[in-house]
Amino acid sequence: MLQVVWFKRDLRWHDHAPLARAARTGPVLALYVDEPDVEGSSDRSQQHRGFVDECLEELDVALRARGNRLVRMAGHMPDVLEHLFALSSGFTLWSHEETGNAVTFARDRRVARWCRDRGIAWNEVPQHGVVRGLRDRDGWAVRWDARMSEPQIAVPDAIARWRTDDTLQRALSTAPSEARATVHPDKAERQRGGRARGVALLESFLADRMTDYRAGMSSPVTGAEACSRLSAHFAYGSVSIREAAQAAWLRRSELLQPGARRDASILLQALKAFESRLHWHCHFMQKLETEPEIEWRNMHRGHDGLRVEGAHPDRLGAWCEGRTGYPMVDACMRMLATTGWLNFRMRAMVTSFASYHLWLHWRDSGLHLAREFLDYEPGIHWSQCQMQSGTTGINTLRIYNPVKQAIDHDPDGHFVRRWVPELSRVSTPGLFEPWKLSPSDQRSAGCVIGRDYPMPIVDPATAVREARERMWSVRKNPAAADEALAVFRRHGSRNPSREAGTVRRRGTARKTSKGTFQQDLDFGEPPLQGG
DNA sequence: AGTGCAGTTGACTTT
DNA sequence: TAAAGTCAACTGCAC
């Protein structure tokens, strides 16, 4: 019987269990579907499609080398399945489990219903460390280690083809809607997709590039080279988390051999940081798997109504376009618009800035970032948006100071001047707070603040203080502590050894002397996006 | 040599 | 993955 392998965010052939198992069972139709509701989703942009296209091209080549091919169709998934059903005498559907957004979750439920109605078996196989059907985090870390330790799935040498697939391609393939292409166009300077590039990044990172990982990842100047840059490949599955984890373990054992290179200890530290990010990658995705509502609803409901969706459209627009009047923030937003990438610390800073300084709802800033991040991964993204906005209730408020971040991570101002050329002739101490420049300094730098570069759109002296007061008014509410405990049970990390830093009390739920909930329960290193 | 003192550093607390 | 503040210990130096 026909085996339909449905590719989604798993655009690879190596370590692909559904493909391997289907190939052992019968003739295979390798299918990718351009779905109008997925493509039209408000978190989707043209650059995502571009990266996917590049992955699919390579996937097709790899399948042809094994006697098969990729069939790409367009339409709503139940309609596509109905066509396949009419053309075949029934089939088995294979795919990886997906932890997606509300649109793909609803689509999956429609697919499941269609399969049930038609008597079609749908075999969904887990990929990476996300566990379906969990209600809390007890035992999660052990299961992650077990998943990552399982052998990688070998590519079948030959994948038998279904005779009718040519007919099908002609009958069903239509050009997918390009309606959004002009609204959120592709980025010429974004990272390119395809498994070959992903594998090359993994190899170059583990071989040598990771020397600069820990020292270079936090700065926007060095981050683009120092970071692994695998995040988009993980998001679209052109490289599996498991193959990355096992490659890292192999590299570690090499570096532990006697006579390893002189800088082995630096590389081992980098490896440890990298492995820990692979863990956190799944840890954050698991939050959305366990509670899909966190895509649009506050994780800690005590924060409902604190910020209003759609409020301050002028501030949102200025933030999106990089004209807030805060040079470090604007430089980051402009780099992101051009390249589709920003290192982790700067992502945290711009998100924090939108939520605290500008008091924007994380849904509004988060949707823009979802389209801007080439490596957008829903589970990581919405967890991070909420964490950087203080709405999880279980993390310390992390309100970033864009001036301090600039001084710490762009001390010479190269990054700011590159992306905010209006300020290119301003010298460093004043560069990060141009609203403080004297009229004569502005004149000599050829940049009048308020004319050539904006005045800050919110008052630097009061914006953060007001935000902090609003946040603490929620946290002081006694009911907030109970809700925070419930959030921790659902989502908090249980593994104290995973928690970075060992000085403070971490990883256990307890009340502080003042009766507020112990902060920082879920403290962790950043997941891989931007790291 | 020991003391006083301004300035620095680091651990820890508060928001 | 924060930032700002407190406080005690420490340092270098003048006397």
Side-chain angles (χ1 to χ4, degrees):
Chain A
M1 189 168 60
L2 172 63
Q3 310 294 308
V4 175
V5 179
W6 176 24
F7 287 89
K8 300 195 275 184
R9 285 175 161 261
D10 51 355
L11 307 181
R12 63 177 179 275
W13 48 98
H14 174 76
D15 201 25
H16 196 292
L19 177 63
R21 289 172 61 185
R24 279 203 301 272
T25 314
V28 167
L29 174 68
L31 177 68
Y32 185 86
V33 182
D34 294 289
E35 302 165 87
D37 40 4
V38 173
E39 297 304 333
S41 175
S42 48
D43 55 5
R44 185 80 165 173
S45 59
Q46 195 63 17
Q47 63 167 343
H48 300 141
R49 291 188 55 79
F51 192 91
V52 166
D53 286 345
E54 289 144 15
C55 292
L56 291 178
E57 272 175 44
E58 282 192 32
L59 177 58
D60 185 46
V61 170
L63 290 169
R64 284 174 191 275
R66 291 163 178 82
N68 208 291
R69 60 168 297 192
L70 182 73
V71 172
R72 190 166 176 179
M73 294 194 269
H76 295 284
M77 196 59 197
D79 298 340
V80 169
L81 292 172
E82 190 63 36
H83 281 290
L84 289 177
F85 189 74
L87 284 167
S88 63
S89 51
F91 55 83
T92 299
L93 181 63
W94 295 87
S95 75
H96 273 120
E97 289 175 356
E98 179 178 0
T99 306
N101 62 11
V103 171
T104 63
F105 187 29
R107 182 273 321 274
D108 280 349
R109 277 179 302 204
R110 285 196 294 274
V111 168
R113 189 196 172 105
W114 182 90
C115 288
R116 207 165 46 243
D117 290 349
R118 288 296 191 185
I120 295 288
W122 180 13
N123 297 323
E124 277 190 287
V125 183
Q127 72 167 339
H128 47 66
V130 174
V131 181
R132 193 157 275 189
L134 278 193
R135 281 189 306 276
D136 60 42
R137 279 310 180 97
D138 295 339
W140 186 84
V142 173
R143 297 177 78 157
W144 186 87
D145 289 336
R147 284 265 183 94
M148 291 303 124
S149 303
E150 287 168 12
Q152 296 170 46
I153 309 295
V155 201
D157 292 331
I159 305 169
R161 189 164 157 181
W162 184 46
R163 285 185 299 106
T164 322
D165 63 5
D166 278 327
T167 328
L168 189 69
Q169 180 77 74
R170 274 199 299 280
L172 292 178
S173 179
T174 53
S177 164
E178 303 283 332
R180 301 182 68 83
T182 51
V183 187
H184 306 294
D186 201 353
K187 301 179 192 299
E189 292 183 41
R190 71 163 164 81
Q191 217 179 320
R192 311 285 290 178
R195 177 168 165 82
R197 289 190 184 86
V199 170
L201 281 172
L202 180 60
E203 285 173 357
S204 70
F205 179 75
L206 293 177
D208 204 51
R209 227 154 32 84
M210 64 180 175
T211 316
D212 304 322
Y213 191 49
R214 276 160 58 92
M217 73 165 85
S218 286
S219 161
V221 183
T222 51
E225 271 83 42
C227 292
S228 79
R229 308 304 304 272
L230 283 163
S231 54
H233 292 281
F234 291 143
Y236 289 98
S238 38
V239 176
S240 81
I241 301 280
R242 177 163 52 197
E243 73 177 301
Q246 294 187 7
W249 296 340
L250 187 66
R251 187 72 173 116
R252 183 174 58 191
S253 66
E254 283 170 19
L255 290 167
L256 289 172
Q257 297 295 315
R261 46 196 283 182
R262 210 172 324 116
D263 58 355
S265 83
I266 288 197
L267 297 186
L268 284 165
Q269 284 176 25
L271 267 181
K272 195 175 167 201
F274 178 67
E275 288 171 54
S276 130
R277 277 162 181 75
L278 295 177
H279 169 92
W280 287 107
H281 182 102
C282 300
H283 172 86
F284 282 94
M285 288 181 74
Q286 181 72 49
K287 294 174 196 263
L288 187 66
E289 176 65 38
T290 300
E291 188 177 3
E293 294 81 4
I294 64 169
E295 182 188 349
W296 46 270
R297 191 177 73 187
N298 288 324
M299 200 179 285
H300 185 299
R301 304 298 300 281
H303 298 79
D304 290 359
L306 196 58
R307 302 184 184 95
V308 179
E309 283 188 68
H312 311 303
D314 46 339
R315 292 184 190 176
L316 179 64
W319 177 78
C320 291
E321 294 166 18
R323 42 178 182 81
T324 66
Y326 289 73
M328 192 62 171
V329 172
D330 291 342
C332 286
M333 296 306 288
R334 294 181 195 186
M335 170 178 166
L336 181 59
T338 302
T339 68
W341 190 83
L342 208 53
N343 65 323
F344 180 81
R345 177 175 285 273
M346 295 303 119
R347 294 183 194 211
M349 183 192 70
V350 299
T351 305
S352 157
F353 183 85
S355 295
Y356 295 113
H357 289 73
L358 304 184
W359 207 245
L360 297 172
H361 196 284
W362 54 265
R363 274 292 292 174
D364 294 324
S365 52
L367 277 176
H368 174 73
L369 293 177
R371 294 186 294 262
E372 290 286 81
F373 293 154
L374 177 65
D375 55 24
Y376 168 61
E377 173 65 65
I380 295 173
H381 184 72
W382 295 113
S383 303
Q384 284 295 321
C385 283
Q386 294 223 33
M387 194 178 300
Q388 303 297 352
S389 305
T391 56
T392 69
I394 62 172
N395 305 97
T396 306
L397 295 186
R398 292 182 205 287
I399 305 176
Y400 286 72
N401 179 341
V403 178
K404 180 178 182 295
Q405 290 298 316
I407 292 168
D408 290 349
H409 301 289
D410 183 29
D412 302 321
H414 296 312
F415 173 74
V416 165
R417 289 196 200 88
R418 174 176 173 200
W419 292 102
V420 188
E422 308 95 289
L423 297 170
S424 59
R425 290 171 57 202
V426 179
S427 55
T428 350
L431 174 64
F432 306 133
E433 304 174 89
W435 58 89
K436 290 184 177 171
L437 292 173
S438 69
S440 70
D441 283 348
Q442 295 181 31
R443 241 178 290 117
S444 64
C447 180
V448 175
I449 304 306
R451 187 193 71 190
D452 305 311
Y453 180 75
M455 286 289 286
I457 58 171
V458 290
D459 182 359
T462 59
V464 167
R465 185 169 50 76
E466 285 171 10
R468 199 186 299 281
E469 284 165 6
R470 285 164 164 163
M471 295 306 294
W472 277 99
S473 72
V474 170
R475 297 201 170 203
K476 269 184 288 193
N477 180 349
D482 296 335
E483 170 82 357
L485 185 60
V487 172
F488 174 75
R489 292 216 171 99
R490 263 195 321 279
H491 297 296
S493 169
R494 300 291 197 274
N495 187 345
S497 73
R498 296 282 191 189
E499 313 290 308
T502 54
V503 183
R504 302 280 298 275
R505 300 163 294 178
R506 276 176 182 145
T508 51
R510 70 185 83 172
K511 303 248 181 167
T512 65
S513 55
K514 294 180 84 176
T516 54
F517 194 69
Q518 168 66 38
Q519 301 301 308
D520 238 9
L521 294 169
D522 201 22
F523 176 97
E525 291 169 70
L528 209 66
Q529 314 308 90

